[in-house]
Amino acid sequence: RSAEVLCCTFTPGMSAVCVLRTRCFLRQVFPGLSAAMNRSYSLDVTAPLLRTQGYVDGRWVSAASVFPVLDPATGQEIARVADCGPAEAKQAVDAAYKAFHSWKQYSAKERSVLLRKWFDLLTLHKEDLAKLITFECGKPMRESLGEMAYSASFLEWFSEEARRVYGDIVPSPAKDRKILLLKQPVGVASIITPWNFPSAMITRKVGAALAAGCTVVVKPAEDTPLSALALAELAEQAGIPAGVFNVVPCSREKTPSVGEVLCTDPLVAKISFTGSTATGKVLLKLAADTVKKASMELGGHAPFIVFDSADVDMAVGGAMASKFRNSGQTCVCSNRFLVQSGIYDRFMEKLGRAMDAELRLGHGSEPETTQGPLINTRAAEKVAHQISDAVSRGAKLLKGGKRLDGSFMEPTLLGDVTTEMLCTKEETFGPLLPVIRFNSEDEALAIANASNVGLAGYFYSQDVSQIWRVAEALEVGLVGVNEGLLSTPEATFGGVKQSGLGREGSKYGIDEYLEIKYMCFGGLKP
């Protein structure tokens, strides 16, 4: 591959345009991808939304150095962002702590109105915000637009929930006192988010935090800081007060030191993290010394079970949606496919046809693209290694299997997979669909639950009794019954086992940012 940066201008008051041209020589495989990657791609968003500095206490701040943000489809630089370190992280925590004392005094209605204004601005600028996601994350534009709708929905939802933080009046055993249970914001929250949903993972946490009366410091993933900084710009436009919402971007090299500040500073009362289980454990250990409240949305290894009674066409559609969204890079993507022997051949045949008909690789800005690149070459190498391991252990390679240019990976279908293969033991985070044949319901549940994580699980069945049995037996926090896409702000999101702690979204999501205070009002005359 050869690439050439044609132009890059950042002119105040004008569009920010970065045009990249890449020539990929893939003519023997995916000629459509080769043709698409031979075109020019331009990131064209209104200037205020393309921010490259940190955002602390209502001000845009520079750092001593910068780090590059790359388009994962081309490997080319699209921006250089302030590489904040521990000093900037501490400034952000101090600013959030100072702002907390005034923000918590805002009425619930005042906070609700500001969150609603922020939601309106996200909706107004959804096209530009989606372009940022596509260019820094790689997902197809139609999915980026979907993420922006999802991202904005959390601000709308929690703008409404802000006014529903109810306490309790509890009947007292004594006549001369009243018992009240009050809900109050915990304080400063450190928000550490991943690259695969660079906007929605922020609003799902921050919407709840701000609605409760907390202030936040956001550390976005080093691969995708532009979306977080655009959210800061729109928060400012919405009138969110200085210090309430802070963003500290940093490189991979500085992430440990910045994360340490955010997890150990005594002024931080709460941490909320979405990412791998291994990293979550590190952050929990850091937060333990100051006994911080913690929410963790960690790794998944979702089973997708198709029983003999299932509607096969519906199951194939669910498998396609659940596995190949964002090229398989979501924490609730199905990872282990279990198909009962009675419909195994029919399911595999229809699934193969669907993959041929529906999946198109290319740059995310191309309208026909359904599969973008993986986030980086390390991610592609991991998928390729899992495929190699499975094939060496007897799996049949039915579709795909090739590592392409850069971080592109062919969507891959494996048959005759066993539980001894690496792809059934660890999360893939890529477009690999391994299928295990099973005979009985008990066998399927034993395989599905043989994991130390439990975020999401899916199954297809038309047997009502079986639906109840399996839904209750699956050791996961989210269950999709005859459905491959689950997430919505109205419902809880979170896992069991080592998939995390706490819940996001729904009426329960705001509780993660609240403390309950017991107030005993005594000395009353009966």
Side-chain angles (χ1 to χ4, degrees):
R1 181 183 66 188
S2 62
E4 178 184 5
V5 178
L6 299 181
C7 69
C8 189
T9 61
F10 301 93
T11 308
M14 298 177 63
S15 290
V17 181
C18 192
V19 182
L20 306 174
R21 175 169 296 171
T22 301
R23 294 183 293 276
C24 297
F25 302 100
L26 303 172
R27 308 218 181 260
Q28 294 182 1
V29 289
F30 286 101
L33 174 61
S34 178
M37 297 307 292
N38 221 3
R39 300 179 188 137
S40 297
Y41 301 101
S42 60
L43 170 57
D44 186 357
V45 300
T46 52
L49 292 180
L50 186 51
R51 292 286 188 173
T52 58
Q53 296 171 292
Y55 186 69
V56 176
D57 202 16
R59 295 177 294 108
W60 295 100
V61 299
S62 299
S65 59
V66 296
F67 68 98
V69 179
L70 307 180
D71 178 350
T74 64
Q76 295 306 297
E77 184 177 299
I78 56 176
R80 292 187 178 184
V81 174
D83 194 2
C84 296
E88 289 82 8
K90 176 58 178 171
Q91 291 169 13
V93 169
D94 290 345
Y97 185 74
K98 179 181 177 183
F100 171 65
H101 295 288
S102 56
W103 180 245
K104 69 179 181 180
Q105 299 300 328
Y106 277 52
S107 70
K109 183 175 182 180
E110 288 172 327
R111 294 196 296 270
S112 173
V113 168
L114 289 173
L115 284 169
R116 178 70 197 200
K117 288 180 179 178
W118 199 9
F119 159 78
D120 289 338
L121 287 169
L122 261 66
T123 302
L124 178 65
H125 294 284
K126 63 183 179 182
E127 293 279 346
D128 280 347
L129 295 169
K131 289 176 186 176
L132 288 175
I133 293 172
T134 289
F135 273 81
E136 67 177 347
C137 173
K139 67 176 62 173
M141 188 65 180
R142 70 182 75 176
E143 289 192 21
S144 296
L145 285 167
E147 177 176 346
M148 282 318 307
Y150 184 53
S151 175
S153 72
F154 285 105
L155 297 183
E156 179 184 40
W157 174 260
F158 285 113
S159 74
E160 297 162 349
E161 288 300 293
R163 301 181 68 180
R164 302 190 186 104
V165 178
Y166 304 137
D168 296 290
I169 299 176
V170 180
S172 171
K175 295 180 179 180
D176 64 345
R177 67 191 65 179
K178 298 292 183 183
I179 296 174
L180 293 84
L181 304 181
L182 312 177
K183 291 185 178 181
Q184 297 181 317
V186 298
V188 176
S190 292
I191 307 295
I192 304 175
T193 56
W195 50 263
N196 58 338
F197 287 90
S199 181
M201 294 302 94
I202 293 175
T203 58
R204 191 163 73 185
K205 300 171 186 295
V206 171
L210 268 58
C214 297
T215 56
V216 300
V217 178
V218 177
K219 194 213 84 64
E222 66 272 12
D223 296 297
T224 56
L226 301 180
S227 293
L229 296 171
L231 288 176
E233 169 63 32
L234 294 179
E236 184 175 275
Q237 291 184 26
I240 303 292
V244 172
F245 182 75
N246 306 274
V247 181
V248 183
C250 67
S251 63
R252 178 181 294 271
E253 291 73 25
K254 289 189 179 178
T255 289
S257 59
V258 169
E260 184 173 357
V261 171
L262 298 183
C263 292
T264 62
D265 192 295
L267 300 184
V268 173
K270 155 89 181 181
I271 59 171
S272 180
F273 170 71
T274 295
S276 71
T277 297
T279 301
K281 291 177 180 179
V282 171
L283 300 183
L284 283 170
K285 289 176 181 178
L286 288 173
D289 283 347
T290 45
V291 195
K292 300 188 190 306
K293 192 177 179 76
S295 297
M296 295 276 145
E297 195 266 283
L298 307 177
H301 194 33
F304 186 104
I305 308 171
V306 185
F307 290 103
D308 281 343
S309 68
D311 180 318
V312 174
D313 291 330
M314 184 184 293
V316 167
M320 293 292 291
S322 175
K323 176 73 263 185
F324 294 113
R325 184 168 59 117
N326 198 17
S327 298
Q329 299 173 110
T330 84
C331 53
V332 292
C333 270
S334 297
N335 218 57
R336 298 166 292 155
F337 288 76
L338 294 82
V339 181
Q340 199 158 11
S341 55
I343 58 167
Y344 179 90
D345 292 336
R346 190 153 50 104
F347 176 85
M348 297 296 280
E349 188 266 332
K350 290 192 173 189
L351 179 61
R353 288 210 308 261
M355 290 175 65
D356 288 340
E358 299 176 23
L359 301 182
R360 295 290 180 272
L361 275 77
H363 194 283
S365 63
E366 294 287 347
E368 68 273 15
T369 294
T370 66
Q371 298 289 284
L374 301 190
I375 189 64
N376 52 42
T377 56
R378 295 188 306 276
E381 288 164 1
K382 179 181 180 181
V383 178
H385 177 61
Q386 287 193 358
I387 295 170
S388 175
D389 170 81
V391 172
S392 72
R393 295 174 184 270
K396 290 183 179 178
L397 180 60
L398 302 176
K399 294 284 180 185
K402 294 186 180 71
R403 167 82 187 279
L404 303 178
D405 191 71
S407 59
F408 280 92
M409 190 77 208
E410 274 188 313
T412 300
L413 176 62
L414 294 177
D416 294 340
V417 172
T418 70
T419 57
E420 298 303 312
M421 298 172 186
L422 194 59
C423 58
T424 67
K425 296 181 179 181
E426 65 178 27
E427 190 173 23
T428 300
F429 241 63
L432 167 59
L433 199 159
V435 185
I436 301 169
R437 189 195 304 257
F438 73 91
N439 293 310
S440 70
E441 180 182 313
D442 287 344
E443 180 188 359
L445 285 171
I447 295 171
N449 290 335
S451 173
N452 61 3
V453 294
L455 184 55
Y458 309 84
F459 69 94
Y460 281 72
S461 172
Q462 298 297 313
D463 181 332
V464 174
S465 296
Q466 183 177 62
I467 286 172
W468 282 110
R469 288 195 306 271
V470 175
E472 293 182 348
L474 282 174
E475 296 171 358
V476 295
L478 299 83
V479 180
V481 183
N482 298 326
E483 180 57 61
L485 297 175
L486 305 179
S487 301
T488 178
E490 293 82 1
T492 55
F493 193 101
V496 300
K497 301 180 179 178
Q498 293 185 36
S499 281
L501 304 168
R503 293 294 182 267
E504 295 183 338
S506 83
K507 68 177 184 179
Y508 299 105
I510 200 168
D511 289 342
E512 301 290 332
Y513 298 89
L514 295 166
E515 298 282 15
I516 297 176
K517 178 183 286 184
Y518 163 38
M519 173 182 166
C520 180
F521 190 175
L524 302 176
K525 295 181 179 180

